[in-house]
Amino acid sequence: MSSLRLFLPVALITLLMTSSCAKEQPTTEHETSSEEASTATKQQAPPEQDKKATQEPVKKAEPKKTVETTPVPYENPLTAEQKAAGWLSLFDGHSLFGWESTDDEINWSVKDGAIIADSGPIGSLMTTVPFTDYELVCEYRMKTGGNSGLFLRSQFPPGDIATECYEVNIADDHPDGYSTGALVNRQKPETAVERKEGWNEFRVAVNGPKIEVQHNGLVVLNYTSDNNVAATGRIGLQKNAGQIEFRKILLKPLNLKSLFNGKDLTGWREVPGSKSDFKVENGEIHVKDGAGFIETEETYQDFIFQSEAISHADELNSGFFFRAMEGTEENPSNGYEYQIHNGFEGDRSRPNNAGTGAIFRRIDARYVVANDKEWFNATLIAFGPRISCWVDGYHVVDWVDDRKPDPNPRRGLRLEGGHISIQGHDPTTDLSFRNLKIAEYPKPPQGDE
């Protein structure tokens, strides 16, 4: 009798667990999803590989094992037009998600909707991912006599600002004339810059070797590099002297190339065995039924990818696979997956199937931003082992794959290039995609991640 009593509850629990997994895509052969799922709630920082600063002596921050993911109020400063155009919000207004400090002794924090620091050594708070060509908007406030700056295309921590990265200075006075609006050790402002005691705004366009700086709506600098040694890198907020505050940090990636001509599926191919119906209608890729995939003919390694998408019914399942092995009938989707699923339990910080912008089976989205039956903009950055995802410009995932290397991303870390594919998940699939585009990263300087 005792054996029977034990068997019945175990059988019931097994049945319930099997039912709860019904929404997930079947695990492929050799995938160790149960072991890897134990890390799915962690937002991890990569092993430290960046170059040491030559700008000034700094105490290097220890690599962070996790990034705080406590739910914060959802706040998206982007307009509907900015979301559709692919703008990203780099600061959520409540936390330092997506940022890391070059020195743990600097008291970076968030207060009244702004990033603030006023004590500790000289150092920077830097984005966890790099950017190449972009338009950047940033508001700042600094008291008279302070010193700060914006680092562009920088390593972690910043290197030599004359040869390895760029710094837009924030300083009322500078011994060599590189005051507010200058590119330090490169070019001084073309006109005198008047800084208000309250909030001021920078608009910086970084495009190939050219940099344009606007301050409070006036163009104060146009610079062209002779050799463009800093072709890509992180954005940094500097704490130098006095109290500095930053808010409304927005970025629009530039120079992405189209992956879809709006007329046909040139550049794409159907994966063998696909049961999905992919058609081009009204300048959009419309997919129904499934399971099935189309994939790019070309492969991509480190890149920023953007697309608009819409689900035509509630809680439909789809996704973008990337760094994927060539699809076959037996293994159609061996890649990382940017999940598309807008369902949630109770509140939007609790996705019921990982959430749009999740890396499926690896890490959930921290917030379900998109709504079914409405267009949203998806942004994906893959750079080395770091993967970051935005939905309508809101940062939902910042994850580092620290598994052992494996050619199949379902089993381990894949740094090699791979295909990008669009998924038709099941017979209920009914989604559309448009404005698919991508920009590959230039090879990073030796020593950077």
Side-chain angles (χ1 to χ4, degrees), residues 179-348:
S179 56
T180 297
L183 285 180
V184 181
N185 291 349
R186 292 178 183 268
Q187 186 169 310
K188 300 172 185 177
E190 298 168 3
T191 59
V193 175
E194 295 186 8
R195 186 181 63 81
K196 297 182 292 188
E197 284 297 317
W199 288 99
N200 297 264
E201 181 189 76
F202 272 121
R203 284 185 173 266
V204 182
V206 182
N207 194 345
K210 297 181 180 297
I211 297 177
E212 180 188 273
V213 178
Q214 294 184 34
H215 186 270
N216 291 335
L218 298 177
V219 176
V220 297
L221 182 143
N222 275 287
Y223 171 81
T224 301
S225 172
D226 293 333
N227 50 18
N228 196 29
V229 292
T232 192
R234 305 192 196 196
I235 292 168
L237 314 175
Q238 188 194 49
K239 183 270 164 194
N240 190 327
Q243 178 177 292
I244 185 63
E245 299 174 80
F246 298 94
R247 69 180 186 185
K248 193 182 178 182
I249 308 170
L250 312 178
L251 181 144
K252 184 182 187 299
L254 300 177
N255 299 329
L256 281 69
K257 70 175 185 179
S258 177
L259 290 176
F260 170 51
N261 63 20
K263 300 176 182 179
D264 55 41
L265 293 177
T266 298
W268 297 79
R269 63 192 179 205
E270 185 175 288
V271 172
S274 176
K275 298 179 182 178
S276 297
D277 182 23
F278 290 90
K279 292 183 178 179
V280 176
E281 300 173 345
N282 302 316
E284 303 161 7
I285 298 175
H286 186 204
V287 54
K288 296 193 70 173
D289 207 351
F293 295 85
I294 57 172
E295 65 184 15
T296 58
E297 295 175 352
E298 295 186 23
T299 59
Y300 303 92
Q301 182 179 12
D302 293 334
F303 57 84
I304 178 168
F305 167 85
Q306 292 190 316
S307 172
E308 290 183 274
I310 186 172
S311 56
H312 297 295
D314 293 335
E315 297 196 27
L316 298 184
N317 195 325
S318 183
F320 302 105
F321 284 73
F322 59 99
R323 285 189 187 161
M325 304 170 71
E326 183 174 342
T328 65
E329 187 168 358
E330 295 77 18
N331 295 288
S333 58
N334 283 341
Y336 296 95
E337 181 188 0
Y338 178 113
Q339 168 79 324
I340 296 177
H341 190 284
N342 297 325
F344 55 91
E345 300 288 349
D347 69 76
R348 289 177 178 264

Side-chain angles (χ1 to χ4, degrees), residues 406-420:
D406 194 287
N408 183 354
R410 291 182 178 271
R411 298 195 302 249
L413 168 67
R414 179 184 173 102
L415 296 178
E416 298 85 2
H419 302 277
I420 294 174

Side-chain angles (χ1 to χ4, degrees), residues 42-73:
K42 296 180 180 179
Q43 300 274 5
Q44 297 171 313
E48 187 56 60
Q49 296 176 346
D50 291 340
K51 294 181 71 175
K52 294 183 178 179
T54 57
Q55 172 197 359
E56 64 229 356
V58 298
K59 179 181 177 182
K60 211 170 188 181
E62 290 296 321
K64 294 178 174 57
K65 300 301 181 184
T66 61
V67 175
E68 181 61 47
T69 57
T70 302
V72 298

Side-chain angles (χ1 to χ4, degrees), residues 14-37:
T14 302
L15 177 62
L16 290 173
M17 290 177 66
T18 303
S19 174
S20 68
C21 295
K23 291 182 180 180
E24 292 198 351
Q25 180 181 348
T27 304
T28 60
E29 185 180 4
H30 305 304
E31 183 174 359
T32 56
S33 59
S34 60
E35 177 182 350
E36 294 156 353

Side-chain angles (χ1 to χ4, degrees), residues 10-172:
V10 171
L12 179 58
I13 291 170
T14 302
L15 177 62
L16 290 173
M17 290 177 66
T18 303
S19 174
S20 68
C21 295
K23 291 182 180 180
E24 292 198 351
Q25 180 181 348
T27 304
T28 60
E29 185 180 4
H30 305 304
E31 183 174 359
T32 56
S33 59
S34 60
E35 177 182 350
E36 294 156 353
S38 66
T39 65
T41 59
K42 296 180 180 179
Q43 300 274 5
Q44 297 171 313
E48 187 56 60
Q49 296 176 346
D50 291 340
K51 294 181 71 175
K52 294 183 178 179
T54 57
Q55 172 197 359
E56 64 229 356
V58 298
K59 179 181 177 182
K60 211 170 188 181
E62 290 296 321
K64 294 178 174 57
K65 300 301 181 184
T66 61
V67 175
E68 181 61 47
T69 57
T70 302
V72 298
Y74 174 70
E75 183 177 330
N76 193 334
L78 299 173
T79 66
E81 292 76 16
Q82 287 175 319
K83 294 173 185 176
W87 280 84
L88 308 177
S89 176
L90 302 185
F91 170 48
D92 65 18
H94 299 276
S95 74
L96 298 180
F97 185 85
W99 297 84
E100 58 184 338
S101 177
T102 59
D103 195 311
D104 289 336
E105 294 184 8
I106 304 173
N107 66 335
W108 293 108
S109 64
V110 178
K111 182 180 179 181
D112 298 329
I115 296 173
I116 184 172
D118 63 4
S119 69
I122 296 173
S124 299
L125 187 70
M126 309 197 76
T127 58
T128 57
V129 292
F131 298 94
T132 302
D133 295 333
Y134 53 85
E135 182 178 350
L136 175 69
V137 176
C138 178
E139 294 184 357
Y140 76 92
R141 182 167 62 181
M142 185 180 72
K143 294 181 179 179
T144 301
N147 190 311
S148 182
L150 292 176
F151 283 95
L152 314 173
R153 292 184 180 166
S154 176
Q155 299 150 354
F156 180 92
D160 188 338
I161 52 179
T163 60
E164 297 180 294
C165 63
Y166 304 102
E167 182 193 358
V168 179
N169 209 14
I170 304 174
D172 295 326

